[in-house]
Amino acid sequence: MVLGMERLLVKMQNIKVIAFDADDTLFVNEPYFQEVEQKFCVLMSDYLSKQGLSQQLFKTEVDNLHLYGYGIKGYSLSMIEAAMKISNNTISMEIIEKIIGYGKDLLQKPIELLDGVEETLAQLHGKYKLIVATKGDLKDQQSKLHRSGLGHYFHHIEVMSDKQEINYTHLLNRLEIQPNEFFMIGNSLKSDVLPVLEIGGYAVHVPFHTIWAHEKIDHKVEHENFRTVDKISDVLEILL
């Protein structure tokens, strides 16, 4: 084991709570959104290039985050709004109905667990307090956790409006723990890692092969409380 990892293990002796992001950490999510984006671009191909359509949809999504938050319902509304802007309000009810159908299909996608997730949870369960800390729509995320069959591993499920430092601070206050007792695991450096490090917690990045553009950062993360692993089961070497 590398020296840096040994130092991390020594420092982490007070860990009480391990939090897992849900989407693209426990189960597949972003590829489903990309599939719908492709359908949207085909549906609206008479108006703009694929690149232009994707850019307009992304801009509309980001502009609406402060109103809708994260999740499929907000994404569906943003698709409708983007289609109206792109077409100068000339799209038919048939197109709107198709877009609504895309959103409903997303809400009913089967749950596909990522490799090693359940085995990792099973080994950590009972040794730490495990929670889910994720963004998105409350009803949708609760449904996905229920359908995933993973719910019994978790002491608490927190669906967060955002993942900024203040959101994590509020979460830790509710859990009645200190930052150095908190360990976050997720696929987004922007949402799952950086704010946790800023408040004094620990974080592990488990990269997923694709990520939403809004979650990308343009710099390398280096911190004594941070590690990147290849797969989620690798966290067991750190935590057990």
Side-chain angles (χ1 to χ4, degrees):
M1 184 179 293
V2 297
L3 182 59
M5 188 69 77
E6 290 176 342
R7 286 200 295 265
L8 181 66
L9 294 176
V10 170
K11 291 185 61 182
M12 287 177 47
Q13 292 176 351
N14 294 325
I15 295 296
K16 294 180 179 178
V17 174
I18 301 174
F20 290 83
D21 176 52
D23 295 330
D24 298 322
T25 298
L26 299 178
F27 36 70
V28 174
N29 179 67
E30 179 60 22
Y32 296 150
F33 278 83
Q34 293 184 353
E35 289 175 6
V36 168
E37 181 179 327
Q38 294 295 324
K39 291 180 180 179
F40 176 84
C41 290
V42 171
L43 187 66
M44 300 296 296
S45 60
D46 288 342
Y47 296 94
L48 285 175
S49 66
K50 180 180 181 298
Q51 182 180 10
L53 291 165
S54 292
Q55 289 175 344
Q56 183 61 59
L57 177 57
F58 177 70
K59 181 180 184 305
T60 306
E61 283 183 84
V62 174
D63 288 347
N64 284 334
L65 283 176
H66 72 290
L67 292 174
Y68 303 148
Y70 298 85
I72 294 170
K73 295 171 186 175
Y75 180 66
S76 299
L77 289 171
S78 290
M79 278 195 292
I80 293 171
E81 181 180 341
M84 293 175 67
K85 289 179 179 177
I86 291 164
S87 69
N88 196 25
N89 296 325
T90 62
I91 56 170
S92 66
M93 285 303 301
E94 181 182 3
I95 289 179
I96 293 176
E97 287 175 355
K98 286 184 178 180
I99 292 173
I100 292 171
Y102 297 160
K104 288 183 176 180
D105 288 344
L106 270 178
L107 287 167
Q108 300 175 81
K109 280 288 187 181
I111 303 301
E112 182 182 348
L113 295 184
L114 295 178
D115 290 343
V117 164
E118 186 152 19
E119 295 85 347
T120 300
L121 293 175
Q123 291 200 51
L124 295 174
H125 187 245
K127 299 178 178 66
Y128 299 90
K129 181 181 290 185
L130 306 183
I131 72 168
V132 173
T134 192
K135 293 187 293 191
D137 176 79
L138 177 61
K139 183 175 179 60
D140 180 39
Q141 294 291 22
Q142 288 178 333
S143 171
K144 286 195 286 190
L145 260 296
H146 173 73
R147 289 183 287 129
S148 74
L150 301 176
H152 64 284
Y153 291 111
F154 297 106
H155 175 271
H156 176 76
I157 297 172
E158 184 84 5
V159 180
M160 307 164 76
S161 59
D162 205 346
K163 283 183 169 179
Q164 303 292 333
E165 293 172 38
I166 187 65
N167 305 102
Y168 282 105
T169 298
H170 289 330
L171 172 60
L172 267 58
N173 289 340
R174 285 192 289 275
L175 294 169
E176 298 182 328
I177 61 171
Q178 298 301 310
N180 67 349
E181 298 172 321
F182 183 72
F183 187 96
M184 182 71 197
I185 300 169
N187 71 298
S188 170
L189 290 168
K190 180 179 179 180
S191 293
D192 302 320
V193 171
L194 292 178
V196 173
L197 297 178
E198 285 296 322
I199 65 171
Y202 297 87
V204 163
H205 180 224
V206 188
F208 190 60
H209 64 82
T210 186
I211 190 168
W212 185 32
H214 187 62
E215 293 292 333
K216 294 180 179 180
I217 63 172
D218 59 3
H219 62 277
K220 185 177 180 180
V221 178
E222 293 184 357
H223 194 283
E224 60 183 358
N225 291 3
F226 167 71
R227 294 294 181 274
T228 294
V229 297
D230 293 328
K231 55 187 183 299
I232 197 166
S233 59
D234 289 342
V235 302
L236 296 175
E237 296 181 19
I238 303 172
L239 293 165
L240 295 181

